[in-house]
Amino acid sequence: MRDDEQHGPLAGFTVGVTAARRADELGTLLQRRGATVVHAPALRIVPLADDSELLAATEELIDQVPDVVVATTAIGFRGWIEAADGWGIGDRLLDRLRTVELLARGPKVKGAVRAAGLTEAWSPGSESMAEVLDRLLDEGVEGRRIALQLHGEPLPGFVESLRAGGAEVVVVPVYRWMEPEDLAPLDRLLDVTAARGLDALTFTSAPAAASFLNRADQRGLLPEILGALQGEVVSACVGPVTALPLQARGIDTIQPERFRLGPLVQLLCRELPGGARTLPVAGHRVEIRGHAVLVDDELRPVPPAGMALLHSLARRPGWVVARADLLRALPGSGTDEHAVETAMARLRTALGVPRLIQTVVKRGYRLALDPAAADAKYADS
């Protein structure tokens, strides 16, 4: 049995989840594959059923029927119809929507449209708003009135492109994003990220990514967060729109080809193990993951101080690393090299095979790299 089959491809990795909606679903998918999950919503979704902005936009569309209505999310479309029902104008809204060219972005939106007793004129196979935009621009939008149902987040470039083509665009904001009522979980996630305690951080909406960075800025942690996300912590986004706030800060992101939670998790299952270091040490196969080590396919959790030491040793496998250098690698390191000895003893206990790490008297420590591996390394150099 391969280690991925036994433990899951994400065993030994810690993944942060910033989603407010469908966070449980994403967390479960990650945990089933072995990941340790740290969840903190970076925002909360506030329905606008009592909001004058949504009511005014709905009444305007009933009075001045648009040529095209674009439904962007299933939950947003359903929320709009439910809010209109609550105001007593649901039937009038549905009557108007039956007379327009109704575009639905993807199968879920199409299902919500049909559940309301409506029929979409067209839906892209890719579930991409870029494809919706291309269709509208190819048809020609000059002089046309286009209503765009939003679900809390803007669509960068979409509205601007339509207006540049001569369209009148009416935005229907069904939900609004706000910061969480309880900021403590988000602050804890920021602290863990800044300390490089995560292997990956997931984002499922652009507002969540922006809120995460804004809160870091408010707390004076932005340089540390940017350093982590530009280095050791992988930023995994459900799609290109979600990635924009991160990319604007110079953060590289990974994204699945299909903008869904399942493909996002599958992408992490390839990326994180693919970046793990595997070494032949003292006759054992040692794979160094985020917060654990696979020793001959046995998963061995390792405390943060031990992982810091192990990463330092693995950068130069087989070479002696001085105690002073290892001390600098320890989280919150002081000046007492005895801290290295204590952390090293705990690391050896955690690994279960003490002779993986050799003590070199008066010099430091080294990984006991197998001679054949060391010879091959020198032969290639």
Side-chain angles (χ1 to χ4, degrees):
M1 179 180 290
R2 298 196 329 266
D3 56 306
D4 279 2
E5 294 173 344
Q6 182 179 356
H7 304 291
L10 297 179
F13 296 107
T14 303
V15 181
V17 172
T18 61
R21 189 171 65 90
R22 300 180 69 191
D24 289 344
E25 179 183 350
L26 177 55
T28 298
L29 289 172
L30 291 166
Q31 289 170 340
R32 283 177 179 169
R33 287 152 182 83
T36 297
V37 174
V38 181
H39 173 234
L43 43 74
R44 59 189 169 104
I45 305 171
V46 180
L48 302 186
D50 298 326
D51 193 286
S52 58
E53 185 180 353
L54 176 59
L55 175 58
T58 303
E59 290 179 331
E60 181 185 350
L61 291 183
I62 290 173
D63 293 338
Q64 303 177 46
V65 183
D67 301 294
V68 182
V69 173
V70 180
T72 65
T73 64
I75 188 173
F77 189 79
R78 287 195 299 268
W80 185 20
I81 301 302
E82 289 168 4
D85 282 338
W87 296 320
I89 56 175
D91 289 340
R92 294 173 59 202
L93 175 60
L94 291 174
D95 287 343
R96 295 298 185 270
L97 292 176
R98 290 189 180 94
T99 67
V100 306
E101 181 182 352
L102 182 56
L103 307 183
R105 193 206 71 174
K108 290 186 178 180
V109 187
K110 186 191 302 184
V113 166
R114 294 186 178 183
L118 304 170
T119 304
E120 77 287 348
W122 177 81
S123 180
S126 66
E127 305 179 58
S128 166
M129 287 302 292
E131 193 172 342
V132 175
L133 179 61
D134 288 343
R135 176 186 171 90
L136 288 169
L137 294 177
D138 288 344
E139 288 180 344
V141 297
E142 186 169 1
R144 303 187 81 191
R145 195 160 184 265
I146 300 173
L148 180 63
Q149 169 259 309
L150 292 179
H151 181 241
E153 59 189 280
L155 298 171
F158 193 95
V159 173
E160 292 82 355
S161 296
L162 292 176
R163 286 175 176 159
E168 177 190 356
V169 181
V170 180
V171 173
V172 183
V174 182
Y175 287 80
R176 181 174 294 158
W177 302 112
M178 298 181 71
E179 69 176 19
E181 289 182 315
D182 181 6
L183 289 167
L186 179 57
D187 286 345
R188 286 193 292 270
L189 182 60
L190 285 166
D191 291 338
V192 173
T193 305
R196 274 69 167 178
L198 299 176
D199 300 294
L201 193 58
T202 60
F203 297 95
T204 56
S205 73
S211 178
F212 184 83
L213 295 175
N214 289 341
R215 182 59 183 168
D217 196 20
Q218 291 170 9
R219 294 187 57 210
L221 283 176
L222 189 58
E224 290 88 345
I225 294 297
L226 293 179
L229 297 181
Q230 289 165 349
E232 297 95 328
V233 181
V234 174
S235 297
C237 298
V238 78
V241 172
T242 297
L244 288 174
L246 299 164
Q247 292 172 347
R249 295 282 191 171
I251 298 168
D252 291 331
T253 65
I254 60 171
Q255 304 155 32
E257 292 183 5
R258 293 184 64 248
F259 310 148
R260 288 287 181 265
L261 297 186
L264 178 65
V265 173
Q266 292 168 9
L267 179 60
L268 285 172
C269 289
R270 295 192 299 270
E271 288 288 326
L272 293 184
R277 187 81 182 272
T278 302
L279 297 167
V281 182
H284 299 270
R285 178 184 180 275
V286 175
E287 181 178 332
I288 304 170
R289 296 193 166 193
H291 61 265
V293 178
L294 283 169
V295 180
D296 296 332
D297 295 340
E298 182 178 352
L299 190 67
R300 309 286 301 191
V302 176
M307 287 305 303
L309 294 181
L310 189 56
H311 282 300
S312 293
L313 294 170
R315 290 190 187 100
R316 301 183 70 195
W319 291 76
V320 177
V321 182
R323 284 180 175 81
D325 294 333
L326 292 172
L327 180 62
R328 284 191 289 271
L330 285 176
S333 59
T335 58
D336 185 0
E337 291 186 3
H338 180 68
V340 174
E341 297 175 12
T342 302
M344 189 64 70
R346 291 173 178 166
L347 170 59
R348 283 169 162 159
T349 299
L351 293 175
V353 185
R355 59 192 178 86
L356 295 177
I357 302 171
Q358 294 177 337
T359 301
V360 182
V361 179
K362 296 184 180 180
R363 293 181 60 196
Y365 300 89
R366 63 185 288 272
L367 279 180
L369 192 68
D370 286 348
D375 291 344
K377 178 179 178 182
Y378 295 136
D380 291 340
S381 60

